[in-house]
Amino acid sequence: MATFTASIRAGNVARSVHTGVIAAHGRVTISATGTAASKVLLVRLPDGAVVLDYLLYSSTTAAADQTIELGFSATPSALLAVHSLSASGSQEVSLLSIDGTRGQQSLLLPYRLSMSDSAQPHWDWVIATYGAAISASALVSLTLFYTMENV
């Protein structure tokens, strides 16, 4: 298993006021091989964040069809249960849109990130996990919208 961390991240800085809808973005370009169960660390979310929507884009070069799941360290498929991608293809995945126009998967949203009070640090990575090996390259991009308010 290989682990890759997003080199381009936005919205991952803790804000003093957590109100309204907050956007976070992470993007990883992989130019190496990765084994099955390779993990891509995309964005960090604080404890208590409620994920409202996201847009995941994945493009891989693989010898066989690929699967991807999206979630957290303790719940790897919290946001996206195992989703199939065709070999050497690209695909956009969105569960639910703020304007209500998209909806490709089962409605797993909204999802509240709840961690133990003793957990340090008080945030967790949103992780994309690939089921098959990445043979040459991959691109993963995630734009995620969350709030710290009760929904």
Side-chain angles (χ1 to χ4, degrees), residues 49-128:
V50 178
V51 178
L52 301 172
D53 190 13
Y54 66 81
L55 180 62
L56 174 70
Y57 175 83
S58 178
S59 175
T60 63
T61 303
D65 288 349
Q66 183 64 267
T67 61
I68 189 169
E69 62 183 1
L70 191 65
F72 303 94
S73 56
T75 51
S77 60
L79 301 177
L80 178 66
V82 177
H83 182 76
S84 297
L85 302 170
S86 61
S88 300
S90 62
Q91 187 169 12
E92 251 181 27
V93 178
S94 177
L95 285 185
L96 160 75
S97 166
I98 289 173
D99 67 6
T101 59
R102 289 189 307 263
Q104 299 177 5
Q105 305 298 316
S106 61
L107 296 177
L108 300 175
L109 297 179
Y111 180 87
R112 179 179 300 277
L113 176 60
S114 180
M115 301 171 68
S116 166
D117 290 341
S118 62
Q120 289 296 326
H122 283 288
W123 54 265
D124 200 2
W125 284 100
V126 175
I127 303 169

Side-chain angles (χ1 to χ4, degrees), residues 4 28-33 134 136-138:
F4 304 95
V28 177
T29 303
I30 301 167
S31 298
T33 57
I134 299 169
S137 64

